[in-house]
Amino acid sequence: QSVLTQPPSASGTPGQRVTISCSGSRSNIGSNTVTWYRQFPGTAPQLLIYINDQRPSGVPDRFSGSKSGTSASLAISGLQSEDEADYYCAAWDDNLSGLLFGGGTRLTV
Amino acid sequence: EVQLMESGGGLEQPGGSLRLSCAASGFTFRNSAMSWVRQAPGKGLEWVSVITDNTFTTFYADSVKGRFTISRDNSKSTLYLQMNSLRAEDTAVYYCVKEVYFGSGYFDSWGQGALVTVSS
């Protein structure tokens, strides 16, 4: 049921900037807010970005989110080895009346 | 500090039933929409169901509709997921999550997860 499309993998070297995309449609990203989560192996996901571009307290400003039309992006600047994790986008879908997660992107540093 | 503690997971045969519980503390439970999110082994996140705070309106993923029932007891600050007609593909870690705004996917707190294994 995953109709939010993310690249399965992304990579970068320390200090670089990397962007992860999340592509949807009018009924989900086009109509609702996007949330981003980070997940380390064996642990529960952590909130990274909410309402498209807002950072919770404790999340460094190296992480930023944006949304345009039916797509969203997560940017990580000043890449660090500890950023290696799986990243997921999420958005409500008005047609399905349900929440969608992207398939996830594994980031390698 | 917000705490969400799942219980009730385990091994069940295909066609069987299990009920997950999630004991919540550290926030006003009755004022929060609550969801279940699951993750099959080695796979991504999948939203399962949500229940609103006071109206108890519910929504389900197509994959569980008609088999799973989400409910809550605000007097006990507890969320439930009744899972019937279990299938092998329901095998996953099930997370209880607190939603800041209903329908937003904005989950600010997650439980540690409960493992459900469906196998004969």
Side-chain angles (χ1 to χ4, degrees), chain A residues 29-85:
Chain A
I29 293 178
S31 305
N32 299 293
T33 61
V34 177
T35 311
W36 289 90
Y37 296 92
R38 174 178 63 184
Q39 185 180 33
F40 296 112
T43 68
Q46 302 169 317
L47 178 66
L48 207 54
I49 297 288
Y50 65 96
I51 309 179
N52 305 325
D53 57 10
Q54 302 299 301
R55 276 188 314 276
S57 59
V59 174
D61 59 6
R62 300 189 296 108
F63 295 87
S64 62
S66 64
K67 187 183 101 166
S68 178
T70 60
S71 293
S73 292
L74 172 71
I76 308 171
S77 60
L79 212 55
Q80 299 177 4
S81 58
E82 52 262 41
D83 295 331
E84 277 205 347

Side-chain angles (χ1 to χ4, degrees), chain A residues 1 33 35 37 39 43-45 47 50-51 88 92 96-99 101-103, chain B residues 37 39 43-47 50 59 62 95 101 103-108 110-111:
Chain A
Q1 189 167 319
T33 61
T35 311
Y37 296 92
Q39 185 180 33
T43 68
L47 178 66
Y50 65 96
I51 309 179
Y88 296 91
W92 185 263
L96 297 173
S97 293
L99 184 76
F101 281 100
Chain B
V37 173
Q39 187 169 34
K43 302 296 184 182
L45 301 174
E46 180 187 16
W47 172 80
V50 62
F59 295 91
D62 287 344
Y95 294 103
Y101 303 111
S104 65
Y106 175 4
F107 303 132
D108 64 347
W110 296 65

Side-chain angles (χ1 to χ4, degrees), chain B residues 69-89:
Chain B
T69 302
I70 191 172
S71 62
R72 64 191 296 161
D73 185 336
N74 285 346
S75 68
K76 295 181 179 179
S77 295
T78 302
L79 176 72
Y80 302 100
L81 184 68
Q82 178 66 44
M83 303 183 291
N84 299 331
S85 303
L86 284 165
R87 306 167 179 167
E89 52 265 36

Side-chain angles (χ1 to χ4, degrees), chain B residues 54-65:
Chain B
N54 292 317
T55 62
F56 293 12
T57 304
T58 60
F59 295 91
Y60 298 90
D62 287 344
S63 58
V64 306
K65 203 171 293 182

Side-chain angles (χ1 to χ4, degrees), chain B residues 1 3 6 9 12 15-16 43 46 55 61 64 84 91 102 114 118:
Chain B
E1 179 193 2
Q3 288 196 346
E6 301 96 340
E12 182 56 65
K43 302 296 184 182
E46 180 187 16
T55 62
V64 306
N84 299 331
T91 295
F102 166 70
V118 183

